[in-house]
Coordinates of all heavy atoms in Angstrom, one line a residue:
Y16 N 4.8 9.8 -0.7 CA 3.3 9.6 -0.4 C 2.8 8.5 -1.3 O 3.4 8.2 -2.3 CB 2.6 10.9 -0.7 CG 2.9 12.0 0.3 CD1 3.7 13.0 0.0 CD2 2.4 11.9 1.6 CE1 4.0 14.0 0.9 CE2 2.6 12.9 2.5 CZ 3.4 14.0 2.1 OH 3.7 14.9 3.1
G17 N 1.7 7.9 -0.8 CA 1.1 6.8 -1.5 C 0.1 7.2 -2.5 O -0.3 8.4 -2.6
P18 N -0.5 6.3 -3.2 CA -1.5 6.6 -4.3 C -2.7 7.2 -3.8 O -3.3 8.1 -4.5 CB -1.7 5.2 -4.9 CG -1.4 4.2 -3.9 CD -0.3 4.8 -3.1
V19 N -3.2 6.9 -2.6 CA -4.5 7.5 -2.1 C -4.3 9.0 -1.9 O -5.1 9.8 -2.3 CB -4.9 6.8 -0.8 CG1 -6.1 7.5 -0.3 CG2 -5.2 5.3 -1.1
R20 N -3.2 9.3 -1.3 CA -2.8 10.8 -1.0 C -2.6 11.5 -2.3 O -3.1 12.7 -2.4 CB -1.6 10.8 -0.1 CG -1.1 12.2 0.2 CD -1.7 12.8 1.4 NE -1.1 14.1 1.7 CZ -0.3 14.4 2.7 NH1 0.1 13.5 3.5 NH2 0.2 15.6 2.9
I21 N -1.9 10.9 -3.2 CA -1.6 11.6 -4.5 C -2.9 11.8 -5.2 O -3.1 12.9 -5.8 CB -0.6 10.8 -5.3 CG1 0.8 10.8 -4.5 CG2 -0.4 11.4 -6.7 CD1 1.8 9.9 -5.1
A22 N -3.7 10.8 -5.3 CA -5.0 10.9 -6.0 C -5.9 12.1 -5.4 O -6.5 12.9 -6.1 CB -5.8 9.6 -6.0
Y23 N -5.9 12.1 -4.1 CA -6.7 13.1 -3.4 C -6.2 14.5 -3.8 O -6.9 15.4 -4.1 CB -6.6 12.9 -1.9 CG -7.2 14.1 -1.1 CD1 -8.6 14.2 -0.9 CD2 -6.4 15.1 -0.5 CE1 -9.1 15.2 -0.2 CE2 -6.9 16.1 0.2 CZ -8.3 16.2 0.3 OH -8.9 17.2 1.0
E24 N -4.8 14.7 -3.7 CA -4.3 16.0 -4.0 C -4.5 16.4 -5.5 O -4.8 17.6 -5.8 CB -2.8 16.1 -3.6 CG -2.6 16.0 -2.1 CD -1.2 16.2 -1.7 OE1 -0.3 16.5 -2.6 OE2 -0.9 16.0 -0.5
L25 N -4.4 15.5 -6.4 CA -4.7 15.7 -7.8 C -6.2 16.2 -8.0 O -6.5 17.1 -8.7 CB -4.4 14.5 -8.7 CG -2.9 14.2 -8.8 CD1 -2.7 12.9 -9.5 CD2 -2.2 15.4 -9.5
R26 N -7.1 15.5 -7.3 CA -8.5 15.8 -7.4 C -8.8 17.2 -6.9 O -9.6 17.9 -7.4 CB -9.3 14.8 -6.7 CG -9.4 13.5 -7.5 CD -10.3 12.4 -6.9 NE -10.2 11.2 -7.6 CZ -9.7 10.1 -7.1 NH1 -9.1 10.1 -5.9 NH2 -9.6 9.0 -7.8
E27 N -8.1 17.5 -5.8 CA -8.2 18.9 -5.2 C -7.7 20.0 -6.2 O -8.2 21.1 -6.1 CB -7.4 19.0 -3.9 CG -8.0 18.2 -2.8 CD -9.3 18.9 -2.3 OE1 -9.2 20.1 -1.9 OE2 -10.3 18.1 -2.2
K28 N -6.8 19.6 -7.1 CA -6.3 20.6 -8.1 C -7.2 20.6 -9.3 O -6.9 21.3 -10.3 CB -4.9 20.2 -8.5 CG -3.9 20.2 -7.3 CD -3.4 21.6 -7.0 CE -2.3 21.5 -6.0 NZ -2.1 22.7 -5.2
G29 N -8.2 19.8 -9.3 CA -9.2 19.8 -10.5 C -8.9 18.7 -11.5 O -9.5 18.8 -12.6
I30 N -8.0 17.8 -11.3 CA -7.8 16.7 -12.2 C -8.9 15.7 -12.1 O -9.3 15.4 -11.0 CB -6.4 16.0 -11.9 CG1 -5.3 17.0 -11.8 CG2 -6.1 14.9 -12.9 CD1 -5.0 17.8 -13.0
T31 N -9.4 15.3 -13.3 CA -10.6 14.4 -13.3 C -10.2 13.0 -12.8 O -9.1 12.6 -12.9 CB -11.1 14.3 -14.7 OG1 -10.2 13.7 -15.6 CG2 -11.5 15.7 -15.3
D32 N -11.2 12.3 -12.3 CA -11.0 10.9 -11.9 C -10.5 10.0 -13.0 O -9.7 9.1 -12.7 CB -12.4 10.4 -11.3 CG -12.8 11.0 -10.0 OD1 -11.9 11.5 -9.3 OD2 -14.0 10.8 -9.7
E33 N -10.9 10.3 -14.2 CA -10.5 9.4 -15.3 C -9.0 9.6 -15.5 O -8.3 8.6 -15.7 CB -11.2 9.8 -16.6 CG -12.7 9.5 -16.6 CD -13.5 10.5 -15.8 OE1 -13.1 11.7 -15.7 OE2 -14.6 10.1 -15.3
V34 N -8.5 10.8 -15.4 CA -7.0 11.0 -15.6 C -6.3 10.5 -14.4 O -5.2 9.8 -14.6 CB -6.7 12.5 -15.8 CG1 -5.3 12.8 -15.8 CG2 -7.4 13.0 -17.1
V35 N -6.8 10.7 -13.2 CA -6.1 10.2 -12.0 C -6.0 8.6 -12.1 O -4.9 8.1 -11.9 CB -6.8 10.6 -10.8 CG1 -6.3 9.9 -9.5 CG2 -6.7 12.1 -10.6
S36 N -7.1 8.0 -12.4 CA -7.1 6.5 -12.4 C -6.2 6.0 -13.6 O -5.6 4.9 -13.5 CB -8.5 5.9 -12.5 OG -9.1 6.3 -13.7
E37 N -6.1 6.7 -14.7 CA -5.3 6.3 -15.8 C -3.8 6.3 -15.4 O -3.0 5.4 -15.8 CB -5.5 7.2 -17.0 CG -4.7 6.9 -18.2 CD -5.0 7.8 -19.4 OE1 -6.0 8.5 -19.4 OE2 -4.1 7.8 -20.3
Y38 N -3.4 7.2 -14.6 CA -2.0 7.4 -14.3 C -1.6 6.8 -12.9 O -0.4 6.6 -12.7 CB -1.5 8.8 -14.4 CG -1.5 9.3 -15.9 CD1 -2.6 10.0 -16.4 CD2 -0.5 8.9 -16.7 CE1 -2.6 10.4 -17.7 CE2 -0.5 9.3 -18.0 CZ -1.5 10.0 -18.5 OH -1.6 10.4 -19.8
L39 N -2.5 6.6 -12.1 CA -2.2 6.0 -10.7 C -2.8 4.6 -10.7 O -4.0 4.5 -10.5 CB -2.8 6.9 -9.6 CG -2.1 8.2 -9.3 CD1 -2.8 8.9 -8.2 CD2 -0.6 7.9 -8.9
D40 N -2.0 3.6 -10.8 CA -2.4 2.3 -10.7 C -2.2 1.8 -9.2 O -1.0 1.7 -8.8 CB -1.7 1.4 -11.7 CG -2.1 -0.1 -11.6 OD1 -3.0 -0.4 -10.8 OD2 -1.6 -0.9 -12.4
F41 N -3.3 1.6 -8.5 CA -3.1 1.3 -7.1 C -2.5 -0.1 -6.8 O -2.1 -0.4 -5.8 CB -4.5 1.3 -6.4 CG -5.0 2.7 -6.2 CD1 -5.7 3.3 -7.2 CD2 -4.8 3.4 -5.1 CE1 -6.2 4.6 -7.1 CE2 -5.2 4.7 -4.9 CZ -5.9 5.3 -5.9
G42 N -2.5 -1.0 -7.8 CA -2.0 -2.3 -7.7 C -0.5 -2.5 -8.1 O 0.0 -3.6 -8.0
Q43 N 0.1 -1.5 -8.6 CA 1.5 -1.6 -9.1 C 2.5 -2.0 -7.9 O 2.4 -1.4 -6.8 CB 1.9 -0.4 -9.8 CG 1.2 -0.2 -11.1 CD 1.7 1.0 -11.9 OE1 2.6 1.8 -11.3 NE2 1.3 1.2 -13.1
A44 N 3.4 -2.8 -8.3 CA 4.4 -3.2 -7.3 C 5.3 -2.0 -6.9 O 5.8 -2.1 -5.8 CB 5.3 -4.3 -7.9
R45 N 5.4 -1.0 -7.6 CA 6.2 0.2 -7.2 C 5.6 0.8 -6.0 O 6.4 1.4 -5.2 CB 6.3 1.2 -8.4 CG 5.1 1.9 -8.7 CD 5.3 2.8 -9.9 NE 4.1 3.3 -10.4 CZ 3.7 4.6 -10.3 NH1 4.5 5.5 -9.7 NH2 2.6 5.0 -10.7
W46 N 4.3 0.7 -5.7 CA 3.8 1.3 -4.5 C 4.2 0.5 -3.3 O 4.5 1.0 -2.2 CB 2.3 1.4 -4.6 CG 1.8 2.4 -5.6 CD1 1.0 2.1 -6.7 CD2 2.0 3.8 -5.6 NE1 0.8 3.3 -7.4 CE2 1.4 4.3 -6.7 CE3 2.8 4.6 -4.8 CZ2 1.5 5.7 -7.0 CZ3 2.8 6.0 -5.1 CH2 2.2 6.5 -6.2
I47 N 4.4 -0.8 -3.5 CA 4.9 -1.7 -2.4 C 6.3 -1.3 -2.1 O 6.7 -1.2 -0.9 CB 4.7 -3.1 -2.7 CG1 3.2 -3.5 -2.9 CG2 5.3 -4.0 -1.6 CD1 2.3 -3.2 -1.6
D48 N 7.1 -1.1 -3.2 CA 8.5 -0.7 -3.0 C 8.6 0.6 -2.3 O 9.4 0.8 -1.4 CB 9.2 -0.6 -4.4 CG 9.3 -2.0 -5.0 OD1 9.2 -3.0 -4.4 OD2 9.6 -2.0 -6.3
E49 N 7.7 1.6 -2.7 CA 7.8 2.9 -2.0 C 7.3 2.8 -0.5 O 7.9 3.4 0.3 CB 6.9 3.9 -2.8 CG 6.8 5.3 -2.2 CD 8.2 6.0 -2.2 OE1 9.1 5.5 -2.9 OE2 8.3 7.0 -1.4
L50 N 6.3 2.0 -0.3 CA 5.8 1.8 1.1 C 6.9 1.2 1.9 O 7.1 1.6 3.1 CB 4.6 0.9 1.1 CG 4.0 0.6 2.4 CD1 3.7 1.8 3.3 CD2 2.7 -0.2 2.2
T51 N 7.6 0.2 1.4 CA 8.7 -0.5 2.1 C 9.8 0.5 2.4 O 10.4 0.6 3.5 CB 9.3 -1.7 1.3 OG1 8.2 -2.6 1.1 CG2 10.4 -2.3 2.0
R52 N 10.1 1.4 1.5 CA 11.1 2.4 1.7 C 10.7 3.4 2.8 O 11.5 3.7 3.7 CB 11.4 3.2 0.4 CG 12.5 4.2 0.4 CD 12.6 5.0 -0.8 NE 11.5 6.0 -0.9 CZ 11.5 7.1 -0.2 NH1 12.4 7.4 0.7 NH2 10.5 8.0 -0.3
V53 N 9.5 3.8 2.8 CA 9.0 4.7 3.8 C 9.0 4.1 5.2 O 9.5 4.7 6.2 CB 7.6 5.2 3.5 CG1 6.9 6.0 4.6 CG2 7.6 6.1 2.2
R54 N 8.6 2.8 5.2 CA 8.6 2.1 6.5 C 10.0 1.9 7.0 O 10.3 2.2 8.2 CB 8.0 0.7 6.3 CG 8.0 -0.2 7.6 CD 8.1 -1.6 7.4 NE 9.3 -2.0 6.6 CZ 9.5 -3.2 6.1 NH1 8.5 -4.1 6.1 NH2 10.5 -3.5 5.4
D55 N 11.0 1.6 6.1 CA 12.3 1.4 6.6 C 13.0 2.7 7.0 O 13.8 2.7 8.0 CB 13.2 0.8 5.4 CG 12.8 -0.7 5.2 OD1 12.1 -1.3 6.0 OD2 13.3 -1.3 4.2
L56 N 12.7 3.8 6.4 CA 13.2 5.1 6.8 C 12.7 5.5 8.2 O 13.5 6.0 9.0 CB 12.8 6.2 5.8 CG 13.6 6.2 4.5 CD1 13.0 7.3 3.6 CD2 15.1 6.6 4.8
K57 N 11.4 5.2 8.5 CA 10.8 5.6 9.7 C 11.1 4.6 10.9 O 11.4 5.0 12.0 CB 9.3 5.7 9.6 CG 8.6 6.1 10.8 CD 8.7 7.6 11.1 CE 7.7 8.0 12.2 NZ 7.9 9.3 12.6
Y58 N 11.1 3.3 10.6 CA 11.1 2.3 11.6 C 12.2 1.2 11.4 O 12.3 0.4 12.3 CB 9.8 1.5 11.7 CG 8.6 2.4 12.0 CD1 7.7 2.7 11.0 CD2 8.4 3.0 13.2 CE1 6.6 3.6 11.2 CE2 7.4 3.9 13.4 CZ 6.4 4.1 12.4 OH 5.4 5.0 12.7
G59 N 12.9 1.2 10.3 CA 13.8 0.1 10.1 C 13.1 -1.1 9.6 O 11.9 -1.0 9.4
D60 N 13.7 -2.2 9.5 CA 13.0 -3.4 9.0 C 12.7 -4.4 10.1 O 12.3 -5.5 9.9 CB 13.8 -4.1 7.9 CG 15.2 -4.6 8.4 OD1 15.6 -4.3 9.5 OD2 15.8 -5.3 7.6
T61 N 12.8 -3.9 11.4 CA 12.4 -4.8 12.5 C 10.9 -4.8 12.7 O 10.3 -3.7 12.6 CB 13.1 -4.3 13.8 OG1 12.7 -2.9 14.1 CG2 14.6 -4.4 13.7
P62 N 10.3 -5.9 13.0 CA 8.9 -6.0 13.2 C 8.5 -5.3 14.5 O 9.3 -5.2 15.4 CB 8.6 -7.5 13.2 CG 9.9 -8.1 13.6 CD 11.0 -7.2 13.1
A63 N 7.2 -4.9 14.6 CA 6.7 -4.3 15.8 C 6.7 -5.3 16.9 O 6.4 -6.5 16.7 CB 5.3 -3.8 15.5
D64 N 7.0 -4.9 18.1 CA 7.1 -5.8 19.3 C 5.8 -5.8 20.1 O 5.7 -6.5 21.1 CB 8.3 -5.5 20.1 CG 8.2 -4.0 20.7 OD1 7.3 -3.3 20.3 OD2 9.1 -3.7 21.4
S65 N 4.8 -5.1 19.7 CA 3.5 -5.1 20.4 C 2.4 -4.7 19.4 O 2.7 -4.1 18.4 CB 3.5 -4.1 21.6 OG 3.5 -2.8 21.1
Y66 N 1.2 -5.0 19.8 CA 0.1 -4.6 18.9 C 0.0 -3.1 18.8 O -0.3 -2.5 17.8 CB -1.2 -5.2 19.4 CG -2.4 -4.8 18.5 CD1 -2.5 -5.4 17.2 CD2 -3.3 -3.9 18.9 CE1 -3.5 -5.1 16.4 CE2 -4.3 -3.5 18.0 CZ -4.4 -4.1 16.8 OH -5.4 -3.8 15.9
K67 N 0.2 -2.4 19.9 CA 0.1 -0.9 20.0 C 1.1 -0.4 19.0 O 0.8 0.6 18.2 CB 0.4 -0.4 21.4 CG 0.3 1.1 21.5 CD 0.5 1.5 22.9 CE 0.4 3.0 23.1 NZ 0.5 3.5 24.4
E68 N 2.3 -0.9 18.9 CA 3.4 -0.4 18.0 C 3.0 -0.7 16.6 O 3.2 0.1 15.7 CB 4.7 -1.0 18.3 CG 5.8 -0.6 17.4 CD 6.1 0.9 17.4 OE1 5.8 1.6 18.4 OE2 6.7 1.4 16.4
W69 N 2.4 -1.9 16.3 CA 2.0 -2.3 15.0 C 0.9 -1.3 14.5 O 1.0 -0.9 13.4 CB 1.5 -3.7 15.0 CG 1.1 -4.2 13.6 CD1 1.8 -4.8 12.7 CD2 -0.2 -4.1 13.0 NE1 1.1 -5.1 11.6 CE2 -0.2 -4.6 11.8 CE3 -1.4 -3.5 13.5 CZ2 -1.3 -4.7 10.9 CZ3 -2.5 -3.6 12.6 CH2 -2.4 -4.1 11.4
A70 N -0.1 -1.1 15.4 CA -1.2 -0.1 15.0 C -0.6 1.3 14.7 O -1.1 1.9 13.8 CB -2.2 -0.1 16.1
K71 N 0.3 1.7 15.5 CA 0.9 3.0 15.3 C 1.6 3.1 13.9 O 1.4 4.1 13.2 CB 2.0 3.3 16.4 CG 2.7 4.6 16.3 CD 3.8 4.7 17.4 CE 4.7 5.8 17.1 NZ 5.8 5.8 18.1
R72 N 2.3 2.1 13.6 CA 3.0 2.0 12.3 C 1.9 2.0 11.1 O 2.1 2.7 10.1 CB 3.9 0.8 12.2 CG 5.1 0.9 13.1 CD 5.9 -0.3 13.0 NE 7.0 -0.3 14.0 CZ 8.1 -1.0 14.0 NH1 8.2 -1.9 13.0 NH2 9.0 -0.9 14.9
A73 N 0.9 1.2 11.3 CA -0.1 1.0 10.3 C -0.8 2.4 10.1 O -1.1 2.8 8.9 CB -1.1 -0.1 10.7
T74 N -1.1 3.1 11.2 CA -1.8 4.4 11.1 C -0.9 5.4 10.4 O -1.3 6.1 9.5 CB -2.2 4.9 12.5 OG1 -3.0 3.9 13.1 CG2 -2.8 6.3 12.4
F75 N 0.4 5.4 10.7 CA 1.3 6.3 10.1 C 1.4 6.1 8.6 O 1.3 7.0 7.8 CB 2.7 6.2 10.7 CG 3.8 6.9 9.9 CD1 3.9 8.3 10.0 CD2 4.6 6.3 9.0 CE1 4.9 9.0 9.3 CE2 5.6 6.9 8.3 CZ 5.7 8.3 8.4
L76 N 1.5 4.8 8.2 CA 1.6 4.5 6.7 C 0.3 4.8 6.0 O 0.3 5.3 4.9 CB 2.0 3.1 6.6 CG 3.5 2.8 7.1 CD1 3.7 1.3 7.1 CD2 4.5 3.6 6.3
S77 N -0.8 4.5 6.6 CA -2.1 4.9 6.0 C -2.3 6.4 5.9 O -2.8 6.8 4.8 CB -3.3 4.3 6.9 OG -3.3 2.9 6.9
N78 N -1.9 7.1 6.8 CA -1.9 8.6 6.7 C -1.0 9.1 5.7 O -1.2 10.2 5.2 CB -1.6 9.2 8.1 CG -2.7 9.1 9.1 OD1 -3.8 8.7 8.8 ND2 -2.3 9.2 10.4
R79 N 0.0 8.4 5.3 CA 0.9 8.8 4.2 C 0.2 8.5 2.8 O 0.8 8.8 1.8 CB 2.2 8.1 4.3 CG 3.0 8.4 5.5 CD 3.6 9.8 5.4 NE 4.6 9.8 4.4 CZ 5.5 10.7 4.2 NH1 5.6 11.7 5.1 NH2 6.4 10.7 3.3
G80 N -0.9 7.8 2.8 CA -1.7 7.7 1.6 C -1.6 6.3 1.0 O -1.9 6.1 -0.2
F81 N -1.2 5.3 1.8 CA -1.2 3.9 1.2 C -2.5 3.2 1.7 O -3.1 3.5 2.7 CB 0.0 3.2 1.8 CG 1.3 3.8 1.3 CD1 2.0 4.7 2.0 CD2 1.8 3.5 0.0 CE1 3.2 5.3 1.6 CE2 3.0 4.0 -0.5 CZ 3.7 4.9 0.3
T82 N -2.9 2.3 0.9 CA -4.2 1.5 1.2 C -3.9 0.6 2.3 O -2.8 0.2 2.6 CB -4.7 0.7 -0.1 OG1 -3.7 -0.3 -0.4 CG2 -4.9 1.7 -1.3
S83 N -5.0 0.1 2.9 CA -4.8 -0.8 4.1 C -4.3 -2.1 3.6 O -3.5 -2.8 4.3 CB -6.2 -1.0 4.8 OG -7.2 -1.5 3.9
D84 N -4.7 -2.6 2.4 CA -4.1 -3.8 1.8 C -2.6 -3.7 1.6 O -1.8 -4.6 1.9 CB -4.8 -4.1 0.5 CG -6.2 -4.6 0.6 OD1 -6.5 -5.1 1.8 OD2 -7.0 -4.6 -0.3
Q85 N -2.1 -2.5 1.1 CA -0.7 -2.3 0.9 C 0.0 -2.3 2.3 O 1.1 -2.9 2.4 CB -0.5 -1.0 0.2 CG -0.9 -1.0 -1.3 CD -0.9 0.3 -1.9 OE1 -1.1 1.4 -1.2 NE2 -0.8 0.4 -3.2
V86 N -0.6 -1.7 3.2 CA 0.0 -1.6 4.6 C 0.2 -3.0 5.2 O 1.2 -3.4 5.7 CB -0.7 -0.7 5.5 CG1 -0.3 -0.8 6.9 CG2 -0.6 0.8 5.0
R87 N -0.9 -3.8 5.1 CA -0.9 -5.2 5.6 C 0.1 -6.0 4.9 O 0.8 -6.9 5.4 CB -2.2 -5.8 5.6 CG -3.1 -5.4 6.7 CD -4.3 -6.3 6.9 NE -5.1 -6.3 5.7 CZ -6.1 -5.4 5.4 NH1 -6.3 -4.4 6.2 NH2 -6.8 -5.6 4.3
Q88 N 0.3 -5.8 3.6 CA 1.3 -6.5 2.8 C 2.7 -6.3 3.3 O 3.5 -7.2 3.3 CB 1.1 -6.2 1.3 CG 2.0 -7.1 0.4 CD 1.7 -6.8 -1.1 OE1 0.7 -6.2 -1.4 NE2 2.6 -7.3 -1.9
V89 N 3.0 -5.0 3.6 CA 4.3 -4.7 4.0 C 4.5 -5.0 5.5 O 5.6 -5.5 5.9 CB 4.6 -3.2 3.7 CG1 5.9 -2.8 4.3 CG2 4.7 -3.0 2.2
L90 N 3.6 -4.6 6.4 CA 3.7 -4.8 7.8 C 3.4 -6.3 8.2 O 3.9 -6.7 9.2 CB 2.9 -3.9 8.6 CG 3.2 -2.4 8.6 CD1 2.2 -1.7 9.5 CD2 4.6 -2.2 9.0
G91 N 2.6 -6.9 7.4 CA 2.1 -8.2 7.8 C 1.0 -8.0 8.9 O 0.7 -6.9 9.3
D92 N 0.4 -9.1 9.3 CA -0.5 -9.1 10.5 C 0.3 -9.2 11.7 O 1.2 -10.0 11.8 CB -1.5 -10.2 10.3 CG -2.5 -9.9 9.2 OD1 -2.8 -8.8 8.9 OD2 -2.9 -10.9 8.5
Y93 N -0.1 -8.5 12.8 CA 0.6 -8.6 14.0 C 0.3 -10.0 14.6 O -0.8 -10.3 14.9 CB 0.2 -7.5 15.0 CG 0.9 -7.7 16.3 CD1 2.3 -7.5 16.4 CD2 0.3 -8.0 17.5 CE1 3.0 -7.7 17.6 CE2 0.9 -8.2 18.6 CZ 2.3 -8.0 18.7 OH 3.0 -8.2 19.8
Q94 N 1.3 -10.8 14.8 CA 1.2 -12.2 15.2 C 0.7 -12.3 16.6 O 0.0 -13.3 16.9 CB 2.5 -12.9 15.0 CG 2.9 -13.0 13.5 CD 1.9 -13.6 12.6 OE1 1.4 -14.6 12.9 NE2 1.7 -13.0 11.5
G95 N 1.0 -11.4 17.5 CA 0.6 -11.6 18.9 C -0.7 -10.8 19.2 O -1.0 -10.7 20.4
A96 N -1.4 -10.3 18.2 CA -2.5 -9.5 18.4 C -3.6 -10.2 19.2 O -4.4 -9.6 19.9 CB -3.1 -8.9 17.1
W97 N -3.8 -11.5 19.0 CA -4.9 -12.2 19.6 C -4.5 -13.1 20.7 O -5.3 -13.9 21.1 CB -5.7 -12.9 18.5 CG -6.0 -12.1 17.3 CD1 -5.6 -12.2 16.1 CD2 -6.7 -10.8 17.3 NE1 -6.0 -11.2 15.3 CE2 -6.7 -10.4 16.0 CE3 -7.4 -10.1 18.3 CZ2 -7.4 -9.2 15.6 CZ3 -8.0 -8.9 17.9 CH2 -8.0 -8.5 16.6
D98 N -3.3 -13.0 21.2 CA -2.8 -13.8 22.3 C -3.4 -13.4 23.6 O -3.7 -12.4 23.9 CB -1.3 -13.8 22.4 CG -0.6 -14.4 21.2 OD1 -1.3 -15.1 20.4 OD2 0.6 -14.2 21.0

């Protein structure tokens, strides 16, 4: 899971925002590594062949608790989206 999901679950358990933000750095490169690992396990490293597939992947990764910036960094922007 990504930092958003982990932070949510910690807050649900009563951990304060200060403690959560101290230990979960949303900008760390390790989250990108983890997101890449999750993407590769689910979809391999091949790019999406349609906007619908790209959106499906982006939604899946966002639901796993990664930020939209992180998702775009790993998936990239769908190149054919505006064709």
